[in-house]
Amino acid sequence: MKHVFKCKTKLRILIDTKCDLSGYEEVRICARKPDKSMVTFPAVVKDRENGIVFYDVQSESDIDQSGWWTFWVEVLFDDDRTAAGRASRVFVYEAGNG
């Protein structure tokens, strides 16, 4: 699938942090919606050494606006260090307009 559509649940947000996540305590995917409000999703670490994380969209309300979204990862390590990833922009389409 080349496009992301609003209010659809068949979507995995997959991010390569390019950071070794050994010793992580919590990883979350943060997003800024087109209306500038913020949301976070709990991330699953798929590959700790290579820093691959994902979130499977659970509800139609997870991705609920069309327009430009900005996603990034925030990591809390077990020794209280924190790290934030570089942001990526993704356009979310209305169904039927992709």
Side-chain angles (χ1 to χ4, degrees):
M1 184 183 325
K2 292 183 180 182
H3 297 301
V4 175
F5 293 96
K6 158 181 144 173
C7 298
K8 302 301 176 194
T9 57
K10 180 78 172 151
L11 175 66
R12 173 171 281 183
I13 300 169
L14 183 71
I15 299 176
D16 181 352
T17 68
K18 301 188 184 333
C19 173
D20 184 346
L21 299 176
S22 297
Y24 78 92
E25 186 171 301
E26 179 183 358
V27 180
R28 63 182 169 233
I29 296 172
C30 302
R32 182 177 306 110
K33 298 180 179 188
D35 70 359
K36 306 300 181 205
S37 63
M38 304 287 288
V39 65
T40 61
F41 305 108
V44 175
V45 176
K46 181 176 181 174
D47 185 333
R48 183 183 321 230
E49 290 179 5
N50 291 312
I52 308 295
V53 303
F54 71 89
Y55 172 74
D56 288 330
V57 172
Q58 303 294 309
S59 164
E60 290 181 3
S61 64
D62 283 352
I63 307 295
D64 60 351
Q65 296 178 19
S66 59
W68 285 104
W69 285 63
T70 304
F71 292 93
W72 67 96
V73 174
E74 289 184 348
V75 182
L76 172 64
F77 291 93
D78 57 9
D79 61 1
D80 290 331
R81 292 178 299 136
T82 60
R86 188 169 61 183
S88 295
R89 288 177 30 124
V90 174
F91 193 82
V92 175
Y93 294 88
E94 292 280 342
N97 290 327

